[in-house]
Amino acid sequence: ADNPALAAATESGQPVVAVFVLNPDRRWALGGASRVWLHESLQRLSESLLNLGITMRCRTGQPATVLSDLVTELNVSEIHWNRDYDPDGISESTMVKNELPESVSTTSHAGSLLIEPFKFLNKSGQPYKVFTPFWNALRSSLDYLKPPTMDPTWRQSPQTAAVESVEQLNLLSGRAWEREMVASWKIGEVAATAAFEQFVDLDVIDYEKQRDFPALSNTSELSPHLHFGELSVQRIWSELTQRLNTVDFTGQEAQIWTWLRQLVWREFSQ
């Protein structure tokens, strides 16, 4: 719902096609559990996009090569994606921008972090190396954050092209533990939203005191949802900081800021 690349694509006035590219040459290969989660997450995403009239193509290879093929195949005029800040992601983005024809508009968007690492610097113009100054500066600069969202009424006519199945990515091995994992976790954007709302409504009030006790269920368990893009950190920050001003959170401010502080360690690591 708050995917800036998707929002930008829907504003283009052109038919929208979604593409997922699995690059097997990345230096950090996906582990077994990550492959299972990605498979299920892509399934849920494909279903959600179909409700908007968008089909998803799933392909394996170098992103620049795959997208170049699709430009020819579908007569593409614009490509939008959300930035990835690890070395492989930066390299892939650069190759896409450099290798696609000049006639194709290529735009990357800030969608996975609260702030752009290369824009958020200390007073010396350098990246922060100590967390507390980083946290204080970030908190004061993000009093109000509204993540970009697409028009909730937007739909396009269903496309005739068939969906390219997630199955062809061969993410699963067929082992029994994979089915057990899927049965134990609720995966996808809908599940992520429900987990976030439950944590905020029920569990955050005891977070500061009980987060360090493994036997208690007082952590959010949102890490995999954030990692796979099912829930954005921008949405979390926006909704929680707005709720801090409501009567529902009177007396709970310290608990919420403690949790947000832990969330911001994810930003600091970038």
Side-chain angles (χ1 to χ4, degrees), residues 8-28:
T10 60
E11 292 172 358
S12 69
Q14 302 296 319
V16 177
V17 175
V19 181
F20 178 82
V21 182
L22 180 67
N23 183 356
D25 297 327
R26 279 197 160 208
R27 68 192 74 187
W28 293 295

Side-chain angles (χ1 to χ4, degrees), residues 70-220:
L70 285 171
V71 165
T72 302
E73 180 182 331
L74 302 175
N75 193 26
V76 173
S77 59
E78 297 181 18
I79 297 178
H80 298 267
W81 69 94
N82 295 323
R83 282 190 279 277
D84 189 353
Y85 300 93
D86 67 27
D88 284 328
I90 293 171
S91 174
E92 289 169 356
S93 290
T94 301
M95 290 177 66
V96 168
K97 290 183 176 182
N98 290 341
E99 295 184 17
L100 263 64
E102 293 184 1
S103 59
V104 179
S105 171
T106 56
T107 308
S108 64
H109 301 267
S112 61
L113 297 174
L114 287 170
I115 44 91
E116 296 276 65
F118 51 85
K119 292 182 180 179
F120 197 69
L121 305 173
N122 61 25
K123 293 180 180 179
S124 300
Q126 299 296 319
Y128 285 87
K129 297 181 179 180
V130 180
F131 178 74
T132 298
F134 177 83
W135 161 248
N136 291 334
L138 184 143
R139 179 174 172 177
S140 63
S141 67
L142 291 178
D143 287 336
Y144 178 70
L145 174 69
K146 183 179 180 181
T149 57
M150 62 180 288
D151 180 354
T153 65
W154 185 91
R155 299 289 186 278
Q156 69 179 13
S157 299
Q159 299 164 340
T160 56
V163 175
E164 293 182 359
S165 172
V166 176
E167 302 293 340
Q168 68 188 51
L169 297 176
N170 295 316
L171 291 166
L172 303 181
S173 66
R175 294 184 175 91
W177 70 263
E178 295 177 337
R179 295 187 291 274
E180 293 170 0
M181 176 179 165
V182 172
S184 299
W185 283 88
K186 295 180 180 178
I187 299 173
E189 181 183 6
V190 173
T193 299
F196 169 56
E197 292 177 349
Q198 176 177 317
F199 176 72
V200 171
D201 292 340
L202 300 176
D203 297 329
V204 75
I205 58 174
D206 296 318
Y207 178 77
E208 186 174 21
K209 295 180 180 179
Q210 299 185 0
R211 62 189 168 125
D212 294 325
F213 294 90
L216 301 176
S217 179
N218 274 92
T219 59
S220 68

